[in-house]
Amino acid sequence: MNYQIGDVVQMKKPHPCGTNAWEVLRVGADFKLRCQQCQHIIMLPREKFEKSVKKLIKSADIQA
């Protein structure tokens, strides 16, 4: 699956704040993600990110 900046993904495990929705801020060898509830930013290696993603909630492609 190809992910783009601006995509919102659902992770398998929730963040301690209670949500599991994350916005993709950077793609490459590492992914930079921002929690949609508390705005906490994390970086994950691509391999760990791809294993942790459950589904794509909102694609950045869909624009008016």
Side-chain angles (χ1 to χ4, degrees):
M1 179 106 192
N2 291 327
Y3 297 98
Q4 298 178 7
I5 295 172
D7 287 351
V8 178
V9 296
Q10 180 181 5
M11 303 298 270
K12 290 180 182 175
K13 292 187 177 183
H15 190 244
C17 71
T19 188
N20 56 2
W22 295 81
E23 179 184 359
V24 177
L25 301 177
R26 176 177 179 250
V27 295
D30 295 318
F31 278 75
K32 191 177 212 180
L33 307 170
R34 178 176 36 218
C35 178
Q36 292 292 284
Q37 185 168 322
C38 70
Q39 306 303 310
H40 184 80
I41 294 176
I42 62 167
M43 285 191 74
L44 293 174
R46 176 178 285 275
E47 186 176 319
K48 186 169 184 177
F49 171 79
E50 289 177 348
K51 286 182 181 179
S52 300
V53 171
K54 192 171 187 180
K55 69 178 181 177
L56 182 65
I57 296 174
K58 185 180 86 173
S59 178
D61 281 344
I62 303 171
Q63 296 177 1

